[in-house]
């Protein structure tokens, strides 16, 4: 944060102070560009009056108002007197009077280039000026004197001084400022006054002004530095604060607000940031609510959902996946390689895959669908895992039911056909054989009738159309009747029948006929699968507000794998005893108890016997009866 603040401060400082420095540099550049011409023009404006004075002195001499002996002192023995080098020439350009010294050096005659270039204009009565070097002058091929008569008038005054070395060419090298003015006598131009000065001398004379300007610019820049620092700080401080607010918002804290009290662009920016924060907070809150709602929905689904990205990395696994596949998120790919292999294949092929796999005793239907981008590439996959164990078992039950019904019907039908065909063909001759045949046909017909009746009874129970009227009754007489019925039956089969019922039992709420039907089915089943010398026990015990009636035998028992299917239709524990029943008795008994709102359970150990029990609620408690079909 401090680094960014320093950067913005440096930028603002560089902008403000750079503007000041650029202004100073521009002023300096413009001054250096324009000042030579201005100084040269100022020098010309200064030399012209001086030249007119010298021309006036010479005119006075020509008119006899002044002695020629005074001309040289008046013109001066050095350039300091007129701040320029002076030449007085005739109409031919011959030097008559000149400044005697330039910085201690003697001055020669007027340079020929100045004379040839400027003298024609002067002789025409005009003032000639020149700024620049000697090479910039345009010189005619020959000179043309204007007035020989008046030109000799200057010579008649005896103004020609002794010859001196011609060193003016060396003195006047480089850029210079030159002025030439006409000398008039009797209305005619009889000569010219030339005045010249080097630009170096002019600029050196103005150096003090240049130094003053530069010093002023430096002083102004230094004086403006505190103001520039203050201005840069005022500019960078709001930017740094806005950045702090923006970073705080980016980190998730949308409650922070920027300063929007100022009436400038920073205030407008602060208001915009505050509005953005408010809108973002509202949007993020809505998105979080939708995300949580979607997450709750996904987590609450009984189907498992797995999502992977384009690289195959898992991005979503809901809890149902862990329950169905019996794994956790960390080892999902290692524990369920078959499932994740489908994701890899879907990412490669870009097609939807469906497959049913078995995880131990659970059937899982896996559907993997790829997610496509607008350009057609695969961005990932979403898979749905459903537990189809119930539907698979229901389908298997349906197939088993059809097979069992077909098997149970085929046995008596085959037997009856085998007996009826000989009767039809007259193969049975004696009356005793016919009677035996009739007995077998009747027995098989009754067996077939029992099978159909049991199937219809189970169907009515499951559809809820069977009579299940409930009333209050005493279970003791019913149990005593069952005891009296099965005691002789046990003696015939050399089995022991134990009756363990208390002398007094409270009244119960239920259907006595259906309860008796269940007891008969359980006892028939117990005696049927208990070998000779075995023991069958009918017992009843009061536990709270329920009476639990149990039928226990010491028969073949039921394996642990068969226990969950004991109450299924046509299910027979001992497959070798297929002729001992239809396989619907226990299913009917279980459905009766369920319709009456009671509970039926089974406990068994293979080779040691089985214990079936069901409950009867006493008449003191009213409870609801479940009537929905399976």
């Amino acid at each position: 944060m401090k680094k960014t603040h320093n950067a913005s401060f440096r930028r603002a400082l560089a902008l403000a102070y750079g503007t000041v420095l650029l202004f100073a540099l521009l002023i300096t550049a413009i001054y250096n560009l324009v000042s030579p011409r201005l100084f040269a023009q100022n020098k010309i404006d200064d030399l012209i009056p001086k030249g007119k004075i010298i021309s006036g002195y010479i005119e006075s001499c020509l008119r006899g108002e002044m002695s020629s002996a005074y001309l040289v002192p008046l013109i001066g023995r050095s350039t300091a007197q007129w701040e320029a080098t002076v030449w007085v020439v005739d109409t031919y350009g011959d030097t008559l009077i000149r400044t005697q010294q330039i910085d201690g050096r003697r001055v020669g005659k007027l340079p020929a280039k100045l004379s040839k270039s400027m003298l024609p204009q002067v002789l025409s009565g005009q003032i000639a000026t020149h700024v620049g070097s000697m090479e910039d002058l345009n010189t005619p091929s020959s000179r043309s004197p204007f007035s020989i008569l008046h030109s000799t008038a200057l010579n008649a005054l005896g103004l020609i001084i002794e010859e001196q070395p011609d060193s003016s060419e060396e003195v006047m090298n480089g850029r210079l400022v030159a002025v030439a003015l006409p000398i008039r006598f009797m209305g005619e131009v009889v000569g010219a006054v030339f005045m010249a000065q080097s630009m170096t001398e002019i600029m050196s004379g103005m150096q003090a002004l240049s130094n003053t300007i530069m010093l002023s610019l430096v002083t102004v820049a230094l004086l403006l530095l505190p103001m520039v620092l203050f201005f840069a700080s005022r500019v960078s401080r709001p930017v740094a604060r806005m950045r702090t607010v923006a970073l705080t918002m980016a980190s998730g804290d949308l409650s922070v607000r920027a300063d929007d009290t100022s009436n400038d662009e920073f205030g407008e920016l602060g208001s915009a940031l505050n509005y953005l924060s408010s809108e973002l907070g509202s949007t993020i809150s809505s998105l979080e609510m939708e995300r949580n709602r979607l997450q709750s929905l996904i987590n609450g689904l009984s189907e498992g959902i797995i999502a992977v990205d384009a690289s195959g990395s898992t991005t979503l696994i809901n809890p149902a996946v862990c329950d169905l596949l019996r794994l956790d998120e960390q080892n999902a790919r290692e524990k369920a390689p078959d499932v994740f292999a489908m994701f890899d294949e879907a990412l490669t092929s870009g097609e939807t895959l469906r497959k049913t796999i078995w995880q131990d005793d659970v059937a899982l239907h896996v559907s993997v669908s790829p997610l496509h981008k607008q350009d057609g590439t695969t961005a990932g996959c979403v898979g749905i895992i459903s537990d189809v164990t119930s539907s698979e078992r229901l389908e298997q039950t349906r197939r088993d039911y059809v097979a069992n019904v077909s098997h149970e019907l085929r046995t008596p039908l085959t037997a009856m056909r085998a007996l009826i065909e000989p009767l039809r063909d007259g193969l049975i001759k004696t009356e005793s054989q016919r009677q035996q045949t009739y007995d077998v046909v009747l027995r098989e017909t009754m067996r077939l009738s029992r099978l159909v009746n049991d199937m219809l009874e189970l169907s009515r129970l499951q559809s809820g159309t069977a009579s299940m009227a409930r009333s209050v009754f005493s279970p003791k007489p019913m149990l005593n009747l069952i005891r009296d019925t099965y005691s002789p039956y046990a003696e015939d089969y050399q089995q022991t029948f134990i009756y363990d019922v208390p002398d007094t039992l409270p009244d119960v709420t239920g259907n006595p006929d259906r309860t008796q039907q269940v007891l008969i089915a359980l006892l028939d089943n117990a005696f049927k699968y208990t070998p000779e010398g075995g023991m069958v026990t009918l017992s009843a015990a009061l536990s709270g507000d329920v009476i639990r009636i149990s039928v226990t035998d010491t028969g073949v028992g039921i394996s642990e794998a068969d226990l969950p299917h004991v109450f299924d239709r046509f299910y027979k524990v001992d497959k070798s005893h297929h002729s001992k029943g239809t396989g619907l008795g226990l299913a009917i008994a279980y459905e009766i108890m369920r319709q009456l709102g009671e509970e039926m359970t089974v406990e068994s150990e293979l080779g040691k016997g089985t214990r079936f029990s069901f409950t009867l609620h006493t008449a003191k408690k009213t409870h609801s009866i479940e009537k929905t079909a399976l």
Side-chain angles (χ1 to χ4, degrees), residues 276-288:
L276 175 63
S277 176
S278 177
E279 291 298 313
L280 280 177
S282 177
T283 303
I284 292 175
S285 178
S286 300
L287 289 176
E288 287 180 350

Side-chain angles (χ1 to χ4, degrees), residues 2 44 52 54 94 99 118 142 159 246 251 269 319 324 348 370 372 384 459 483 490 506 546 564 592 605 611:
K2 182 177 180 182
I44 291 173
K52 288 181 179 181
I54 297 173
D94 295 331
T99 304
M118 301 175 66
S142 62
L159 296 178
S251 63
L269 179 59
L324 293 173
T348 303
H372 298 291
I384 300 177
S459 178
R483 178 198 59 189
V546 298
I592 290 173
E605 186 176 352
R611 180 174 182 264

Side-chain angles (χ1 to χ4, degrees), residues 402-454:
V402 173
N404 290 331
V405 169
S406 301
H407 175 73
E408 295 295 336
L409 291 176
R410 183 180 60 184
T411 301
L413 290 175
T414 302
M416 287 187 293
R417 178 182 177 182
L419 295 173
I420 292 174
E421 286 181 351
L423 284 175
R424 184 197 62 184
D425 296 338
L427 299 178
I428 300 176
K429 303 297 184 179
T430 64
E431 185 66 23
S432 61
Q433 289 177 339
R434 281 194 296 269
Q435 289 298 326
Q436 290 178 356
T437 302
Y438 293 150
D439 291 339
V440 174
V441 171
L442 178 61
R443 186 170 62 252
E444 294 297 331
T445 303
M446 294 178 63
R447 177 183 175 186
L448 183 61
S449 177
R450 286 195 305 270
L451 175 61
V452 173
N453 290 336
D454 288 346

Side-chain angles (χ1 to χ4, degrees), residues 475 478-479 482-483 497-502 505 515 518-524 526-527 535-543 546-554 586 593 599-603 610-616:
M478 178 189 64
L479 294 174
I482 294 295
R483 178 198 59 189
F497 180 59
I498 299 176
Y499 182 71
D500 184 13
V501 177
L505 288 174
T515 304
V518 170
L519 271 175
I520 291 174
L522 295 179
L523 286 171
D524 284 344
F527 281 108
M535 183 184 301
V536 176
T537 302
L538 174 62
S539 62
L542 179 63
S543 176
V546 298
I547 297 175
R548 181 167 291 277
I549 299 177
S550 303
V551 176
T552 308
D553 64 62
T554 58
L586 291 178
M593 288 293 101
E599 177 187 8
M600 176 175 283
T601 59
V602 59
E603 300 173 10
T610 305
R611 180 174 182 264
F612 286 93
S613 63
F614 61 89
T615 60
L616 293 175

